[in-house]
Amino acid sequence: MSGSLSVNVHGQPHDPALVLVHGVTDAGTTWPDAVAHWSADWRVHTVSLRGHGESPRFTEEQAGDMVATHVADLVEVLEGIDESPVVVGHSLGGRTAVLAALQRPQLVRALVLEDPALMDTTPHRRREMRLWIDGLKDFGQRKDTEIARQIEAGWSAAEAQAWAASKLQVDLRMMELLDFGPMDRDEVLNGLAVPTLVLAPSDSTIVPSPERVTNPQVRMELLDGVGHCVRRDDPESYFRIVDAFLASLS
């Protein structure tokens, strides 16, 4: 544990810090391939956001603004690290990392954003969330089938198993209440003051088109043939691109 959230640390104390922040319904345990890849050279902190994994649930007061609570929790984690880390965020984790970096840029060395959830909560997205919640309620009965489906789609067995296990730890009450709220995705990316890499599918609907990002600190990489989980769908490309970015920070 680290402060309010459950955080596991992998690697050696003298190595530079890397913080991994997952997407909705995942957890700090859902980065097995990334931990294996980076922990030889980085001190990897895997964070479980509130309402996920072994982290605390939301109080009634916190539930009134879940996004702000996620950001405050992440800022607390970053404040507890003795150097400014690189923060890697997927989906909701990417959105949370962006907002933390805008609020406290001195706490973040750089950002890696995997199809970050930089979108408004529209009625269509609320309907999608409703279907998602319904699917989680009986996930335990389908767990083995879902693992097999993801492995068939090309995910590693370790990733598929960790992904499935995390679904059984999600606070369904949080999912019922979760509202991303408004966001101007062009404005937030153009307002970042730290080096930032964005990786997303070429057909992503939640990141801006590259021509709208004028911030020289932000690099966009759009990949064909991948879905929302870029690192699981094409780990070779993901790690090649991210490793080159991390090397450029030295």
Side-chain angles (χ1 to χ4, degrees), residues 115-118 185 189 198-201 204-209 220 222:
D115 207 21
L118 307 180
R185 55 194 179 188
L189 288 184
V198 180
L199 297 96
S204 174
T205 61
I206 59 177
V207 299
S209 55
M220 300 278 294
L222 303 183

Side-chain angles (χ1 to χ4, degrees), residues 95 98-99 117-120 180-185 188:
R95 185 188 186 99
V98 163
L99 294 174
L118 307 180
M119 76 292 185
D120 293 331
F180 288 123
M183 174 174 278
D184 184 327
R185 55 194 179 188
V188 296

